[in-house]
Amino acid sequence: MTTTDATTGTNAPWLIVGLGNPGPGYAANRHNVGFMVADLLADRIGGSFKRGQKAQAQIVEGRLGSPGPGSRRVVLAKPMSYMNLSGGPVTALRDFYKIPVANIVAVHDELDIDYGVLRLKIGGGDNGHNGLKSITKSLGPEYHRVRFGIGRPPGRMPVADFVLKDFSGAERKELDYFVDRAADAVEALVIEGLERAQSTYNS
C-alpha cells in the first residue's frame, strides 16, 4: 500500500539536499553544515551514501519517522558538483524520482542568523548563498529550506573566507547538538508539515 504524504497530497518521496562542497578539505567548513546534517539523517535511517547513477550526487534512500503510515519515503542527497553548481544534481534527482518542488528541502548554512539558530521556510530569496542561487535558477524558489545559522564573519573578514573556514573550537563544543537539532527539524518538516515544524524549531 502506498502512503499519501499529508503535507503535499502526493505519493512522491521527499528529496532532502544537504549543501556543501565535496572533498576532505571542505568537510569541517561552516559552508558544509548541510552535509553534516545529511550524514546524520543517513545514520538515522541506517543507510550510507553511494554515488547516484543518474546525478552528480551521493544519495541514500530510506524512510524517516517511526515505522508505519506516518513515515515518509526520502532521498537524501549531497551534490558532488561544488556549491555553486548544486542546481544541476538537484534537478537531475528531481526528474529521476519525479519529485515535486514542494517536496524538496535544502539544508544550508545561513550568515544572517546567529550560530546554531534554525529557521525553516518555503520560498524566498537566496541571500547571496551560491548553492541556493543555483537551485533556484534550476527549479524556481518554491522549495523548503532549513537554514542553519553560522553568524556573520568577525571584523573585516571576507564572507568567502569565513564560510570556507572550519567551525571554531568554541563552536565545535556545541556543533553536534545543533546538527542533531537540525536533523530533528528536517524530520519534523517532512513528517508533520512546515507550520508545526516552524512552531517547534524557529527559535
Side-chain angles (χ1 to χ4, degrees):
M1 184 180 84
T2 11
T3 302
T4 300
D5 189 291
T7 307
T8 64
T10 76
N11 294 322
W14 283 76
L15 175 59
I16 300 166
V17 183
L19 294 182
N21 287 305
Y26 297 101
N29 288 181
R30 294 181 177 93
H31 222 19
N32 271 46
V33 74
F35 275 19
M36 298 174 196
V37 175
D39 286 336
L40 180 55
L41 288 167
D43 286 344
R44 290 184 180 185
I45 66 176
S48 56
F49 279 98
K50 296 179 176 62
R51 191 71 178 214
Q53 298 299 310
K54 303 295 180 181
Q56 193 179 359
Q58 292 185 350
I59 62 169
V60 179
E61 295 182 54
R63 299 192 76 88
L64 279 177
S66 303
S71 69
R72 296 285 179 263
R73 182 182 164 213
V74 297
V75 179
L76 305 176
K78 297 192 295 185
M80 295 287 110
S81 57
Y82 290 97
M83 183 71 84
N84 63 340
L85 299 172
S86 300
V90 174
T91 301
L93 290 167
R94 186 274 312 264
D95 292 346
F96 179 72
Y97 289 100
K98 299 179 172 54
I99 298 172
V101 172
N103 274 35
I104 296 175
V105 183
V107 186
H108 64 92
D109 56 304
E110 178 61 61
L111 285 160
D112 287 337
I113 302 175
D114 290 341
Y115 175 60
V117 174
L118 298 175
R119 292 284 187 273
L120 283 66
K121 70 172 188 174
I122 187 169
D126 57 58
N127 201 25
H129 192 288
N130 287 331
L132 297 183
K133 191 176 298 183
S134 179
I135 295 171
T136 297
K137 184 177 179 182
S138 296
L139 302 180
E142 293 305 310
Y143 54 92
H144 290 85
R145 299 101 186 276
V146 173
R147 307 157 72 204
F148 185 111
I150 60 170
R152 301 293 304 184
R156 297 184 179 182
M157 181 187 290
V159 164
D161 291 347
F162 179 69
V163 299
L164 293 176
K165 284 188 180 298
D166 292 357
F167 285 100
S168 69
E171 289 169 334
R172 283 197 296 271
K173 291 178 182 176
E174 296 182 292
L175 183 59
D176 287 348
Y177 168 76
F178 289 139
V179 168
D180 189 73
R181 190 165 184 270
D184 289 346
V186 172
E187 287 203 45
L189 168 60
V190 168
I191 294 166
E192 301 172 16
L194 178 62
E195 288 188 12
R196 289 189 66 179
Q198 284 175 324
S199 70
T200 303
Y201 293 99
N202 278 20
S203 47

